Amino acid sequence: MTDFGDLGGIDMDRLLHSVDQQIARAEELEKAMAKLVGRAEDEDHLVLVEYAQEGLRTLEIRPKGMRLSAAELSEKIKAAVQDAVADLHRLSGELMAEMFGAASPMRMIEDSTAMLKQVKRAEASYDRAFEDVMGEMDRIRRDLDL
């Protein structure tokens, strides 16, 4: 069993500092994400779209685009919006990779197998910690004759 008198050897100052750093990084990421804008334009340069965190920011239809049929224009707009969303997603992934490196949340989302392995490791760690705590509680109960 682990002796929990010193919290299992955990350096609380280091742990709290690490948590503070993660919170600061998350706040920095939130501010940077708010500034990202995905952009796309159709191949004929008739429709320009900007998509940001709040949704569709810009939809520009050039004069020649107004000559298209409603169905053609609709398809160009939908495709440009999808491309702008994909561009925003790409930019978000690059930003997260820059800020978090290999621990980027986007990498974990994109690689579900790796994410599942990390969840399983965390679950095993939790189970071990729970067993240690329960064992320590049993020892304390026995020592106190409860």
Side-chain angles (χ1 to χ4, degrees):
M1 296 286 155
T2 303
D3 181 15
F4 288 94
D6 65 351
L7 295 174
I10 296 172
D11 182 347
M12 290 303 287
D13 289 332
R14 189 170 144 215
L15 177 64
L16 291 173
H17 180 70
S18 175
V19 169
D20 288 342
Q21 284 180 323
Q22 292 296 327
I23 290 171
R25 256 204 221 151
E27 289 170 353
E28 184 181 336
L29 176 65
E30 186 178 355
K31 289 176 187 174
M33 291 286 270
K35 295 177 185 176
L36 294 180
V37 179
R39 292 179 177 82
E41 188 171 23
D42 73 300
E43 65 278 356
D44 299 322
H45 308 287
L46 301 175
V47 176
L48 172 74
V49 172
E50 291 184 343
Y51 200 90
Q53 192 174 31
E54 69 274 5
L56 186 63
R57 183 181 277 183
T58 301
L59 171 59
E60 183 181 317
I61 302 171
R62 304 229 166 72
K64 284 185 178 181
M66 299 306 290
R67 296 179 191 152
L68 298 173
S69 71
E72 290 173 315
L73 183 57
S74 176
E75 288 303 313
K76 286 193 179 288
I77 291 171
K78 286 192 291 186
V81 168
Q82 288 175 344
D83 290 347
V85 169
D87 188 44
L88 178 62
H89 181 75
R90 178 189 59 77
L91 293 170
S92 298
E94 288 174 1
L95 178 64
M96 287 185 175
E98 179 183 315
M99 293 186 79
F100 294 100
S104 170
M106 291 302 287
R107 283 194 181 150
M108 288 193 287
I109 290 169
E110 290 168 355
D111 187 358
S112 59
T113 303
M115 184 174 70
L116 186 58
K117 285 180 184 177
Q118 287 188 341
V119 168
K120 293 286 187 187
R121 280 196 296 266
E123 180 182 30
S125 293
Y126 170 80
D127 289 344
R128 283 191 304 274
F130 182 77
E131 289 172 12
D132 287 347
V133 167
M134 294 309 292
E136 189 66 12
M137 294 294 284
D138 282 343
R139 186 193 60 77
I140 291 169
R141 182 184 49 78
R142 283 190 309 274
D143 287 351
L144 296 175
D145 290 327
L146 297 175

